[in-house]
Amino acid sequence: MVHTLQNDADTKRFLEALVDTKISEFKLICRGTDLEDIFDVSTPMPDIILEDTGKNCYVIQYLQGTKYDLEELRRYYQQTVDDYYYHRSRSATDLPEVYIIFICNYDYFGLGLAMYYTEDTSDGIEVVDGRHMVVLNSQYLVSNAEPEIIALLDRFRNLDNNRSVDTVWTGWEY
């Protein structure tokens, strides 16, 4: 699991490449056992939640294997994060843009791409509601992402069973 982001500069570059936006600053919302204050402990939980000063929230989870339907998991995370922000501000107008980011050691969509970016649609029309899902595939065949993202995926790809996923974030360079 991705429990720590030990290099803020690398994390910032990764998120900027992912959302194609400059981020002035970000802060940790919660990780590890702190997530139990937001998520039901009997349900899946992301590894970490960050927010930036531009009113964006990033929910990041590393997945090993095909245990979950990512669309259903995204809907659950989105609802839980919206509920968290709503109760914090008591206003539906203060909900942030939410990026649900799954870093997978398998190709969920089966097309060989490094990065898949999905939006909600209704009858083929994009629904603009502040929800985004990004699925990163460490077993990619086609390098369709920025170098910062590919570098991180390559680190996940090269993990062996004796190393913690935490080490992927430590000293990350591209």
Side-chain angles (χ1 to χ4, degrees):
M1 298 255 186
V2 181
H3 291 292
T4 59
L5 297 176
Q6 296 182 14
N7 187 320
D8 289 351
D10 288 338
T11 302
K12 182 178 171 188
R13 282 199 316 266
F14 165 72
L15 291 174
E16 286 176 340
L18 198 66
V19 299
D20 195 28
T21 301
K22 200 77 171 145
I23 297 172
S24 60
E25 188 177 318
F26 67 89
K27 68 179 182 177
L28 175 71
I29 297 297
C30 56
R31 67 172 178 227
T33 56
D34 295 338
L35 289 163
E36 294 172 6
D37 293 338
I38 299 173
F39 292 86
D40 180 343
V41 295
S42 65
T43 63
M45 285 190 278
D47 296 307
I48 193 165
I49 301 176
L50 304 166
E51 73 178 18
D52 66 25
T53 53
K55 201 175 176 188
N56 296 303
C57 175
Y58 307 93
V59 179
I60 304 172
Q61 182 173 19
Y62 176 67
L63 296 171
Q64 296 176 315
T66 58
K67 182 177 179 180
Y68 299 108
D69 177 320
L70 296 188
E71 285 90 1
E72 287 180 12
L73 195 54
R74 181 203 53 137
R75 284 193 299 273
Y76 169 66
Y77 286 173
Q78 179 70 48
Q79 179 272 320
T80 304
V81 168
D82 284 350
D83 189 53
Y84 166 78
Y85 278 97
Y86 177 78
H87 288 317
R88 199 168 89 174
S89 69
R90 298 287 184 210
S91 171
T93 60
D94 289 336
L95 297 177
E97 291 278 319
V98 177
Y99 294 86
I100 310 292
I101 303 163
F102 296 111
I103 303 171
C104 302
N105 75 341
Y106 60 94
D107 189 353
Y108 181 77
F109 293 102
L111 300 175
L113 301 177
M115 184 169 90
Y116 301 93
Y117 187 90
T118 66
E119 297 283 350
D120 281 343
T121 59
S122 175
D123 295 329
I125 299 170
E126 182 179 326
V127 177
V128 181
D129 61 358
R131 299 184 294 170
H132 313 275
M133 181 171 82
V134 179
V135 178
L136 301 175
N137 167 24
S138 69
Q139 304 305 311
Y140 67 90
L141 301 173
V142 179
S143 174
N144 68 321
E146 295 296 321
E148 296 86 353
I149 296 167
I150 295 300
L152 180 68
L153 290 176
D154 288 345
R155 289 192 70 166
F156 276 101
R157 181 191 300 225
N158 294 323
L159 279 180
D160 60 43
N161 292 332
N162 298 324
R163 287 178 43 202
S164 164
V165 173
D166 288 343
T167 62
V168 170
W169 297 102
T170 306
W172 170 43
E173 296 175 6
Y174 68 97

